[in-house]
Structure formats: structure tokens, C-alpha cells
């Protein structure tokens, strides 16, 4: 019988720690879906919508995971160059932990994983994460606003206002020097610290910021449009209500008070957003919200499995 010494065990855990976290998270989610809803009932609902439609939605959502990883790749070019697959794997583990753990506590895994895998200092990774989350919130609101614009009679004027809001981060970056010089003497305490962290988390070059901003917009536009499409196929009308439901669910996961795995809070966010924009509350809306939540979970699992497969096919060497 072969005995594995402690040093070998520690070395294995250091090399494959991210993969082990992902593997156990996947097992936990599979068991979780079976326990809460049961896979038979989930698949029955999906057959009603069309398994091909669900597969297309999942494919599009997995593509957004690739985009999010590319945003981080551009954010830390020196540390991550040539290691996109390893970064994609790390991003999926972070995403799973963020979904699983309550009160956004999974966010703390990002700077820790970036330090462990890519030697990015904790402060820099934390500041960059703060900026990326602010960009996420802005892009999510922009994507949600698109549904409202499409429902208006004066579409051209509404589109101009929406475009101006969409471009606000770019304008803010171009004026960041003047804005920071104006705010610093007028702020103190936590407010000043927040401004300093945002400044530290911004890319130094305009091109890097534009790339991160564009990837953020593509990610959230795809997600919200796919979610609204799925909700409308499940009977959520009008179109603006489907956009409201898609945005409400995601806002519940972005804000700091979501439940573990979003159980209860994510479907509630979908229902609240849909009802706020004209959907009829009832059992059909609740079922649509739960099934969309499951699709979100499955897309996270699929992305993580893909990252594990890619990491196995093309293992990455640490620098």
C-alpha cells in the first residue's frame, strides 16, 4: 500500500486547489437542485419550452463567462498573459463561490485566488474588483433600460438618453483627473477611502479601460436579453416586464443581501422586477422565475465544467 506523505499532499492541494474547489462546488450544486426542485420536474418544464431553446440559452450564457474572464485578462495583462485558460478556471470558481455563499462573502475569494494563482497583490485585486462591480451595476441598469426604451412611443429620443447613460463610464474615465482633484479636498473617512480604492482599481491606459467597459456591456447585454427571452417564452408579458424580471433577478445577486445560491432571493427579484413593469403576479410567474434561476445555476455549472476540461487538456504552468 502506497503512503502519501504530507508534503506531497500539500503540494497537490497547492497545484490543484482551484480545481478541487470547483469539483466539490459542482457536486454540491447537483445535489442542491435535486433536493430543492428535483431534476425530473426541471426537465419537464424545459421540455415544454423546448430543450433546443434551453440549450441555446445555456450556450449564450456560457459565452458570457468567457467574456467576463477576458475582461479580467485585459485588466491584469502583465500577470495573466498567455494563461487565459487558468484565468477562466479561476473566474468560474469565484463565480460559484459568489453564488453559493451568502451576503456576497464569496467576493473575498477573488483577490485571494488572484494572489495565489497570478501573484497579484491583494490591494490591487480588491480595488480592481470594486471598479468591475461598479461597471457591472451600470451595465446591468443600462441593459434593463433598453427594455424600457423599446416600449416607448418616442423611441428615438429615449435611445439618445439611453446611449448617453451607457457612455457615462467612458466620460467619467476621461474626466477622472479633474473629478478626483475636485472630490479629494471635500471628502474624508470612508468616502475618501472609497474614492482612493476606485482610483487604484482603474486601468492606467484608456485602451485597457475601454476594453474592460466593452466586455462588461457585452456580458450584461447578452445575459439580460437571454433572460428576458426565456421569461417571455415561459409566459411573462409584456416585453418590458420580461426585461424587468431579468434585471430584478440579477440585481438581487449583485446587492449584498442575497441568500446562499440565491434560493428565494433570486426568484423573488425576478417576480418583483416583472410585476413592477406590468406582469401579472401568480403561479405561472413564480414557476418561470424558479426555472430561470435553475438555468442560471446550470450555466454556472456548465462554465465550471468547461473550465475544468480545458485546464485538463491544456494545463497551465505557474510563473
Amino acid at each position: 500500500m502506497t503512503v502519501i506523505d504530507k508534503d506531497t499532499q500539500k503540494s497537490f492541494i497547492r497545484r490543484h486547489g482551484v480545481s478541487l474547489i470547483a469539483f466539490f462546488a459542482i457536486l454540491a450544486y447537483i445535489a442542491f437542485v435535486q433536493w430543492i426542485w428535483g431534476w425530473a420536474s426541471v426537465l419537464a418544464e424545459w421540455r415544454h419550452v423546448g430543450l433546443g431553446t434551453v440549450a441555446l440559452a445555456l450556450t449564450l450564457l456560457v459565452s458570457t463567462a468567457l467574456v467576463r474572464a477576458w475582461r479580467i485578462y485585459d485588466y491584469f495583462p502583465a500577470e495573466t498573459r498567455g494563461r487565459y485558460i487558468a484565468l477562466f478556471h479561476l473566474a468560474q470558481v469565484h463565480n460559484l463561490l459568489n453564488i453559493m455563499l451568502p451576503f456576497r462573502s464569496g467576493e473575498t475569494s477573488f483577490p485571494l485566488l488572484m494572489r495565489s494563482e497570478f501573484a497579484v497583490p491583494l490591494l490591487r485585486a480588491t480595488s480592481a474588483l470594486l471598479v468591475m462591480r461598479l461597471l457591472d451595476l451600470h451595465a446591468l441598469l443600462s441593459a434593463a433600460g433598453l427594455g424600457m426604451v423599446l416600449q416607448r412611443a418616442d423611441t428615438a429620443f429615449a435611445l439618445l438618453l439611453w446611449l448617453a447613460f451607457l457612455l457615462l463610464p467612458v466620460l467619467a474615465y476621461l474626466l477622472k483627473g479633474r473629478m478626483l482633484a475636485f472630490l479629494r479636498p471635500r471628502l474624508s473617512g470612508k468616502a475618501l477611502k472609497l474614492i482612493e480604492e476606485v482610483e487604484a482599481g482603474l486601468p492606467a491606459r484608456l485602451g485597457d479601460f475601454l476594453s474592460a467597459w466593452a466586455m462588461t456591456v457585452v456580458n450584461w447585454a447578452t445575459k439580460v436579453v437571454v433572460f428576458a427571452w426565456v421569461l417571455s417564452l415561459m409566459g411573462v408579458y409584456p416585453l418590458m416586464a420580461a426585461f424587468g424580471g431579468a434585471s430584478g433577478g440579477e440585481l438581487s445577486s449583485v446587492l449584498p443581501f442575497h441568500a446562499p445560491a440565491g434560493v428565494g432571493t433570486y426568484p423573488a427579484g425576478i417576480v418583483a422586477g416583472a410585476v413592477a413593469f406590468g406582469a401579472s403576479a401568480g403561479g405561472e410567474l413564480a414557476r418561470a422565475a424558479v426555472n430561470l434561476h435553475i438555468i442560471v445555476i446550470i450555466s454556472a455549472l456548465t462554465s465550471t465544467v468547461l473550465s475544468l476540461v480545458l485546464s485538463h487538456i491544456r494545463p497551465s504552468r505557474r510563473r
Side-chain angles (χ1 to χ4, degrees):
M1 182 176 179
T2 304
V3 178
I4 302 176
D5 59 79
K6 291 184 178 179
D7 290 338
T8 302
Q9 293 177 7
K10 290 179 180 179
S11 176
F12 178 84
I13 292 173
R14 279 197 301 269
R15 288 199 311 271
H16 302 286
V18 176
S19 295
L20 289 172
I21 292 171
F23 176 74
F24 286 114
I26 289 170
L27 291 181
Y29 264 89
I30 291 172
F32 167 79
V33 173
Q34 175 62 33
W35 177 49
I36 298 294
W37 295 290
W39 284 101
S41 63
V42 170
L43 293 176
E45 290 283 346
W46 289 1
R47 278 194 293 271
H48 176 71
V49 174
L51 292 179
T53 299
V54 174
L56 177 58
L58 286 172
T59 301
L60 291 171
L61 292 176
V62 170
S63 73
T64 66
L66 295 166
V67 169
R68 290 196 303 275
W70 195 269
R71 176 177 70 167
I72 304 171
Y73 190 75
D74 279 348
Y75 230 95
F76 303 97
E79 295 87 352
T80 62
R81 186 178 294 112
R83 299 186 63 202
Y84 173 77
I85 291 175
L87 183 61
F88 176 58
H89 184 30
L90 180 150
Q92 302 325 300
V93 173
H94 170 236
N95 185 49
L96 278 177
L97 291 175
N98 220 0
I99 295 172
M100 285 174 58
L101 300 178
F103 306 111
R104 304 298 292 174
S105 54
E107 290 284 33
T108 59
S109 66
F110 179 77
L112 295 174
L113 290 170
M114 289 299 292
R115 182 181 65 176
S116 173
E117 294 294 313
F118 297 98
V120 175
L122 281 176
L123 180 59
R124 184 174 171 224
T126 303
S127 298
L129 179 63
L130 172 63
V131 172
M132 286 190 282
R133 286 296 174 254
L134 291 174
L135 288 174
D136 284 339
L137 181 58
H138 172 266
L140 173 57
L141 293 175
S142 299
L146 183 60
M148 298 175 63
V149 167
L150 295 176
Q151 294 290 313
R152 292 185 62 88
D154 53 341
T155 306
F157 178 70
L159 275 173
L160 285 175
L161 289 178
W162 176 81
L163 185 61
F165 179 75
L166 180 67
L167 294 173
L168 273 180
V170 178
L171 179 63
Y173 185 88
L174 293 174
L175 298 176
K176 66 182 171 96
R178 294 181 182 179
M179 292 172 63
L180 292 171
F182 175 80
L183 290 172
R184 274 202 185 92
R186 293 166 174 79
L187 297 176
S188 60
K190 292 183 178 180
L192 179 60
K193 184 179 179 182
L194 176 63
I195 291 296
E196 290 174 345
E197 286 188 8
V198 169
E199 182 184 14
L202 287 170
R205 299 186 305 173
L206 175 61
D208 292 336
F209 177 81
L210 288 176
S211 176
W213 170 76
M215 293 297 102
T216 305
V217 171
V218 169
N219 166 59
W220 284 104
T222 303
K223 288 181 73 173
V224 170
V225 169
V226 169
F227 292 163
W229 172 52
V230 171
L231 285 172
S232 64
L233 290 175
M234 293 180 179
V236 178
Y237 295 105
L239 178 62
M240 190 165 64
F243 270 90
S247 307
E250 286 301 299
L251 278 172
S252 75
S253 65
V254 170
L255 296 176
F257 41 79
H258 77 98
V263 177
T265 55
Y266 193 94
I270 294 172
V271 171
V275 170
F277 288 97
S280 299
E284 187 175 6
L285 176 58
R287 283 194 299 274
V290 169
N291 273 283
L292 179 58
H293 183 212
I294 296 174
I295 288 175
V296 172
I297 292 174
I298 299 304
S299 70
L301 293 176
T302 304
S303 300
T304 307
V305 170
L306 177 61
S307 73
L308 287 169
V309 171
L310 292 175
S311 298
H312 179 72
I313 294 173
R314 189 178 176 182
S316 174
R317 294 181 179 178
R318 290 175 183 266
R319 289 180 178 176

